[in-house]
Amino acid sequence: QVQLVESGGGLVQPGGSLRLSCAASGSIFSLEVMGWYRQTPGNERELVATVTRDGATNYAGSVEGRFTTSRDNAKNMVFLQMNSLKPEDTAVYSCYVRVRQSPLGNQSRYWGRGTQVTVTS
């Protein structure tokens, strides 16, 4: 099993910034992909950003240029720097990992419980 603990959510005004952090622990051989999803009530979870072990990033079009994801491989952590926040960014943000738990094992996906981000004036 892999445990993911997010931190850094909160309330912010439009145009403001927040930084989310996520620490992964447990049965981990390699974290192939780390990233973030978000979800609002009544909607499906959507991809926000991912970063591979080699540092390649991928962003949803709605956050491109405003959000930046990064990772610390030594600490098994992933971060999401969110700038120029908009009310439509309000959601529960969940950490995501695709993990290999043994050298020749398959990859498994895990999501954290999430942290609330609310953008309002």
Side-chain angles (χ1 to χ4, degrees):
Q1 284 287 358
V2 174
Q3 293 77 45
L4 301 174
V5 178
E6 302 104 334
S7 60
L11 182 67
V12 65
Q13 291 186 342
S17 298
L18 281 175
R19 180 176 169 86
L20 305 183
S21 300
C22 172
S25 62
S27 179
I28 297 170
F29 174 75
S30 65
L31 290 163
E32 301 295 323
V33 179
M34 305 183 78
W36 299 89
Y37 279 70
R38 67 186 181 186
Q39 189 170 24
T40 54
N43 293 310
E44 293 188 359
R45 186 167 50 197
E46 65 169 352
L47 173 72
V48 176
T50 59
V51 54
T52 68
R53 203 153 44 101
D54 297 329
T57 55
N58 178 53
Y59 295 94
S62 59
V63 307
E64 186 94 47
R66 300 187 298 121
F67 291 10
T68 302
T69 190
S70 59
R71 58 189 284 174
D72 183 333
N73 290 331
K75 296 182 179 179
N76 288 344
M77 294 189 71
V78 62
F79 309 96
L80 184 68
Q81 178 66 43
M82 303 184 292
N83 298 329
S84 302
L85 281 160
K86 304 176 181 180
E88 51 263 42
D89 294 318
T90 296
V92 174
Y93 285 71
S94 297
C95 180
Y96 161 79
V97 299
R98 200 171 77 212
V99 58
R100 194 183 299 277
Q101 294 173 287
S102 63
L104 300 178
N106 295 327
Q107 297 182 28
S108 301
R109 300 186 296 173
Y110 291 88
W111 282 267
R113 290 190 173 187
T115 183
Q116 178 70 46
V117 171
T118 302
V119 185
T120 182
S121 54

